[in-house]
């Protein structure tokens, strides 16, 4: 199993770079960041410094979207980083939640997202692609590689992931839901004539190592609110008891009353009071190292290839070091 570190690009960028260097020293293989231009600093600028200050770490957004940047700009940016540092990027992509809504726009349609996945990958790897009706190619790209991993929860998004993406990003660490969604992605891949086992599965969730569960829950409760924001979209689209989305995912948002993006992805988010302890425990990894190892082994048995640690809490260095010392060695076999 691989391990990734997920951060927000809060200033100073030097701290983000320092934490990513620490992660690589501790055995992490991937460094991810949020991508929302209004809320945080520009991630691709930061990626260039992370890549320059690490040796093998792969970097990318968790996640970008096809609406805030034109597709040829996204592809060219990835391709430039790859040319400079040797194909060490991954394009995590989704419909766009905070990036689009904070800017007063609606998230992209799945149809547009599917077109963008193909176009960005093709352009970044040196092939011709169509962007808004215009055929184009980046003539300077040589030997480029850009895996595109899609974030998804709902049935249509899961199907699109199986049909188009090189990887699946699932932003929660509940084994029941992971099994349900991985099966949906792999089924869609098989239906599309693709090899379902070739799709990389990345589960991303907060991890907090320590014995004080009450404190750990409060530091990670924000995640239930962030996931709930996506679930609310699914409920509005499919209905509360449609059978299209597992009730284990939708039941807890009944007490949700709006969402304030100024606290997005941050400990102490006041928009997450509705999230019960049970959901925090199910969606996150909390407790001593043994508890993390047990849950990660269960996820690995379900086909998860990478666990990406959301490290937005008050024990960032401690979590990275604990994973490097005890957890990664136990799962790296």
């Amino acid at each position: 199993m691989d391990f990734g570190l997920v951060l927000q690009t809060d200033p100073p960028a030097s701290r983000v770079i320092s934490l990513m260097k620490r992660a690589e020293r501790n055995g992490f293989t991937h460094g991810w960041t949020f991508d929302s231009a209004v809320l945080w600093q520009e991630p691709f600028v930061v990626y260039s410094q992370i890549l320059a200050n690490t040796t093998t770490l792969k970097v990318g957004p968790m996640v970008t979207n096809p609406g805030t940047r034109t597709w040829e700009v996204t592809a060219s940016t990835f391709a430039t980083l790859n040319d400079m540092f040797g194909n060490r990027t991954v394009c995590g992509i989704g419909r766009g939640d905070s990036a689009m809504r904070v800017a007063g726009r609606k998230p992209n349609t799945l149809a547009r997202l599917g077109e963008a996945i193909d176009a960005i990958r093709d352009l970044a790897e040196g092939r011709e692609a169509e962007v808004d009706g215009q055929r184009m190619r980046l003539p300077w790209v040589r030997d480029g590689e850009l895996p595109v991993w899609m974030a998804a929860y709902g049935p249509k998004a899961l199907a699109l992931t199986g049909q188009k993406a090189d990887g699946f990003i699932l932003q929660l660490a509940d084994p029941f839901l992971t099994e349900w969604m991985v099966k949906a992605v792999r089924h869609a891949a098989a239906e599309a004539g693709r090899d379902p086992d070739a799709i990389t599965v990345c589960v991303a969730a907060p991890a907090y190592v320590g014995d004080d569960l009450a404190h750990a829950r409060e530091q990670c409760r924000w995640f239930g609110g962030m996931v709930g924001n996506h679930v609310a979209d699914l409920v509005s689209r499919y209905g509360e008891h449609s059978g299209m989305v597992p009730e284990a995912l939708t039941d807890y948002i009944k007490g949700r009353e709006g969402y304030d993006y100024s606290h997005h992805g941050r400990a102490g988010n006041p928009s997450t009071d509705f999230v019960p302890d049970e959901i925090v425990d199910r969606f996150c990894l909390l407790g001593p190292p043994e508890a993390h190892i047990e849950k990660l082994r269960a996820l690995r048995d379900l086909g998860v290839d990478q666990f990406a640690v959301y490290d937005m809490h008050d024990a960032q260095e401690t979590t990275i070091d604990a994973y490097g010392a005890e957890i990664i060695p136990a799962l790296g076999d």
Side-chain angles (χ1 to χ4, degrees):
M1 178 180 270
D2 286 336
F3 289 83
L5 182 71
V6 189
L7 300 173
Q8 295 167 335
T9 50
D10 286 315
S14 58
R15 175 161 175 78
V16 177
I17 296 161
S18 176
L19 289 170
M20 290 297 185
K21 290 168 63 178
R22 191 184 198 107
E24 184 180 59
R25 290 196 303 270
N26 276 282
F28 288 75
T29 59
H30 288 69
W32 304 92
T33 75
F34 283 40
D35 177 17
S36 188
V38 175
L39 296 177
W40 301 289
Q41 291 186 329
E42 172 53 40
F44 286 93
V45 176
V46 180
Y47 296 157
S48 67
Q49 291 301 304
I50 295 171
L51 289 165
N53 282 276
T54 56
T55 304
T56 59
L57 196 74
K58 295 182 179 181
V59 304
M62 190 174 281
V63 294
T64 192
N65 72 88
T68 53
R69 311 171 203 273
T70 59
W71 303 350
E72 69 273 19
V73 170
T74 299
S76 181
T77 305
F78 277 113
T80 301
L81 292 172
N82 283 337
D83 187 65
M84 292 172 67
F85 299 103
N87 289 334
R88 290 170 54 199
T89 66
V90 180
C91 177
I93 196 167
R95 294 177 61 233
D97 177 34
S98 62
M100 296 295 285
R101 287 184 165 124
V102 168
R105 307 183 185 105
K106 293 181 179 179
N108 298 270
T109 65
L110 287 175
R112 185 162 178 80
L113 176 55
E115 293 172 2
I117 288 172
D118 288 338
I120 291 169
R121 184 199 291 118
D122 284 344
L123 289 171
E125 295 185 347
R127 295 183 295 276
E128 185 179 85
E130 182 173 311
V131 178
D132 295 329
Q134 178 68 40
R135 301 297 298 182
M136 62 182 70
R137 185 174 69 86
L138 305 180
W140 50 269
V141 174
R142 298 289 184 273
D143 302 318
E145 294 180 9
L146 183 65
V148 181
W149 297 6
M150 181 176 156
Y153 292 111
K156 292 182 180 179
L158 293 169
L160 181 63
T161 302
Q163 294 158 6
K164 297 276 189 180
D166 303 298
F168 168 40
I169 296 173
L170 174 58
Q171 292 162 309
L172 54 81
D174 176 68
F176 171 79
L177 292 169
T178 298
E179 182 177 19
W180 189 90
M181 293 184 182
V182 168
K183 283 182 177 178
V185 169
R186 297 206 189 284
H187 176 74
E191 288 285 302
R194 305 179 70 205
D195 178 1
D197 293 326
I199 298 175
T200 302
V201 177
C202 174
V203 161
Y208 198 106
V209 182
D211 295 323
D212 188 343
L213 283 178
H215 180 75
R217 287 179 182 126
E218 290 312 310
Q219 287 293 304
C220 299
R221 197 175 304 276
W222 62 266
F223 184 66
M226 188 182 85
V227 174
N229 208 42
H230 297 286
V231 174
D233 284 345
L234 298 178
V235 171
S236 67
R237 188 174 300 118
Y238 298 109
E240 188 174 339
H241 301 292
S242 64
M244 300 290 285
V245 183
E247 292 187 11
L249 184 60
T250 61
D251 281 351
Y252 83 96
I253 68 163
K254 293 175 181 177
R256 179 180 179 273
E257 297 178 359
Y259 190 82
D260 182 355
Y261 280 96
S262 66
H263 304 284
H264 189 57
R266 300 187 187 278
N269 186 338
S271 299
T272 62
D273 292 344
F274 69 94
V275 181
D277 288 350
E278 178 194 1
I279 288 295
V280 181
D281 291 348
R282 288 181 64 173
F283 285 9
C284 304
L285 276 79
L286 312 174
E290 298 77 23
H292 293 246
I293 292 168
E294 180 182 4
K295 192 167 188 178
L296 287 168
R297 282 178 173 155
L299 291 169
R300 184 181 61 183
D301 290 344
L302 295 172
V304 175
D305 300 295
Q306 180 182 148
F307 176 60
V309 175
Y310 277 111
D311 204 24
M312 283 78 77
H313 49 57
D314 65 0
Q316 290 181 305
E317 289 90 349
T318 301
T319 297
I320 294 169
D321 292 347
Y323 263 70
E326 300 186 64
I327 299 167
I328 292 176
L331 275 296
D333 51 0

